[in-house]
Amino acid sequence: MGFFFSSSSSSSFVFFFLAFLQLFSIVNGRNLTHSSFTPFNHDLYHSSRFIAKEIKGLVVRHPDRLRMETMRAQNKGYNAEVLVVTYNRARKDVNDSSKFRILLSFGQHGRELITSELALRLLSSLSEEKSIPNVDLSSLNNILEKIVLKVVPMENLNGRKRVEAGDLCERRNGRGVDLNRNWSVDWGKKEKDYDPHEENPGTAPFSEPETQIMRKLSKSFDPHIWVTVHSGMEALFMPYDHKNTTPDGLATHVMKSMLNDVNRLHCKDRCLVGSGGGSVGYVVFEMRMGK
C-alpha cells in the first residue's frame, strides 16, 4: 500500500483509514500465481465485468452520496478507460471546497485481484449496504461528512482482463507496460535487478493511457492524500519510491507518525513502515502528485 500525504493532513484521517482497513479482515484471497495461463477462479474473485456492474448498481441506488464517471484515453491505437467513483455526502451547510480530499486507487497491477475486491467492499460499506465491524458508525459518519473521496476500483482494466483470460502472473497493462514505472521521475533508469519483461517503463513518461488518466485525475481533484492499494506484502509505504530516502520536514514526521499508529492499531506492528524505495527491496520510478 502506498501513501501520499499533503502537509495539511488531518488526524481524523486515521480513524477513517482504520475503518477502511477493517475491510481487509473481510476480503481475503490466495496466491493464484502458481502457473501461467490457468483458468480464472471465480470462486475466489469476481470478474471485472461483475465488479463494474455491482459498482454501477450502488451508484444508481445511492445518488445522494455516489456518482460515477468513465475517463478514457488512447495512444497509437491502444485504448484504456478508468472508472472513477466519487463519494460525497452533500450538505447545504458544508462547502465542498472546504472538505478533505482523498484519492484511493486499486488494481494498478492486473494480477493484484484482491485490491479491486476491497474497492467494491469499501463502496458497499460507504453506501451502508455492508457493515464495517468494530467501527463507531456515528463517529465515522461525522468524519465522512467532511471528506470527498474519489475511488478508482480498477486502474489497469486491460491488464486485469489478461489475468482473467488465464495469464495469472501478469502485472502490466494491455500492451505490456508496467504502469508503476511509466511516471516521470527517473523514468527509464534501470536498477541492477531490472527485469525488462516485468518492468517495461513504456516508450516515454506517460506514454500509457492509464497513466495519462491518473495524472489528469490527480491534477483536477488535487487530493490532500492519495492512497494506492497493492497486494503481496504487509507494508505501509510513504515517499519516496524512486530512492531509498524520505522527504525532510514536518509533513514527513506527521506522515510517518500516522502510519506507525495505523501499524500499531490495525497491523499489530507486523507491517513495514517507511519509504517504498527503502522498504520493498527495490526502487520504483514513478511520481504520484499531491499537494
Side-chain angles (χ1 to χ4, degrees), residues 121-138:
R121 186 69 188 224
L122 173 65
L123 291 169
S124 298
S125 298
L126 290 172
S127 304
E128 299 183 8
E129 292 194 8
K130 300 286 186 180
S131 62
I132 305 177
N134 305 317
V135 170
D136 183 342
L137 289 180
S138 61

Side-chain angles (χ1 to χ4, degrees), residues 121-190:
R121 186 69 188 224
L122 173 65
L123 291 169
S124 298
S125 298
L126 290 172
S127 304
E128 299 183 8
E129 292 194 8
K130 300 286 186 180
S131 62
I132 305 177
N134 305 317
V135 170
D136 183 342
L137 289 180
S138 61
S139 297
L140 178 59
N141 286 332
N142 183 55
I143 291 171
L144 289 173
E145 289 180 354
K146 302 177 179 67
I147 289 175
V148 178
L149 287 170
K150 283 193 181 290
V151 179
V152 176
M154 293 178 286
E155 183 178 333
N156 180 11
L157 179 59
N158 292 338
R160 182 187 173 96
K161 287 180 177 179
R162 294 177 67 169
V163 174
E164 292 176 1
D167 193 0
L168 299 184
C169 292
E170 183 59 77
R171 62 182 264 132
R172 303 166 301 168
N173 74 349
R175 62 176 178 185
V177 174
D178 181 1
L179 301 178
N180 213 24
R181 287 160 176 78
N182 190 236
W183 293 72
S184 57
V185 172
D186 281 356
W187 176 86
K189 184 176 180 181
K190 298 176 177 61

Side-chain angles (χ1 to χ4, degrees), residues 163-225:
V163 174
E164 292 176 1
D167 193 0
L168 299 184
C169 292
E170 183 59 77
R171 62 182 264 132
R172 303 166 301 168
N173 74 349
R175 62 176 178 185
V177 174
D178 181 1
L179 301 178
N180 213 24
R181 287 160 176 78
N182 190 236
W183 293 72
S184 57
V185 172
D186 281 356
W187 176 86
K189 184 176 180 181
K190 298 176 177 61
E191 288 294 295
K192 294 179 181 179
D193 60 350
Y194 171 72
D195 182 339
H197 177 77
E198 287 275 289
E199 302 172 41
N200 174 16
T203 57
F206 304 109
S207 62
E208 302 311 294
E210 297 93 343
T211 317
Q212 294 169 17
I213 290 170
M214 294 306 297
R215 177 175 60 172
K216 180 179 180 180
L217 175 61
S218 66
K219 285 185 173 182
S220 61
F221 185 48
D222 193 20
H224 295 95
I225 295 177

Side-chain angles (χ1 to χ4, degrees), residues 18-39:
L18 285 172
F20 167 65
L21 285 173
Q22 291 293 335
L23 298 176
F24 280 111
S25 64
I26 303 170
V27 182
N28 294 295
R30 292 204 306 264
N31 183 357
L32 299 181
T33 59
H34 178 68
S35 61
S36 189
F37 295 102
T38 301

Side-chain angles (χ1 to χ4, degrees), residues 51-117:
I51 290 175
K53 180 181 178 181
E54 288 296 299
I55 290 173
K56 290 174 183 177
L58 288 170
V59 173
V60 169
R61 292 192 296 274
H62 302 280
D64 59 318
R65 63 187 71 184
L66 295 178
R67 66 178 186 272
M68 183 179 66
E69 63 179 312
T70 301
M71 301 181 68
R72 297 180 174 86
Q74 67 87 30
N75 176 273
K76 297 181 179 179
Y78 175 73
N79 298 284
E81 62 179 45
V82 172
L83 185 69
V84 182
V85 181
T86 301
Y87 173 89
N88 184 13
R89 303 182 78 164
R91 282 179 41 179
K92 294 181 179 179
D93 58 333
V94 178
N95 187 342
D96 285 351
S97 63
S98 67
K99 291 186 176 182
F100 199 71
R101 299 180 300 280
I102 302 174
L103 176 59
L104 303 174
S105 53
F106 304 80
Q108 186 188 61
H109 291 137
R111 66 192 180 197
E112 296 174 4
L113 302 170
I114 195 171
T115 66
S116 296
E117 299 287 339

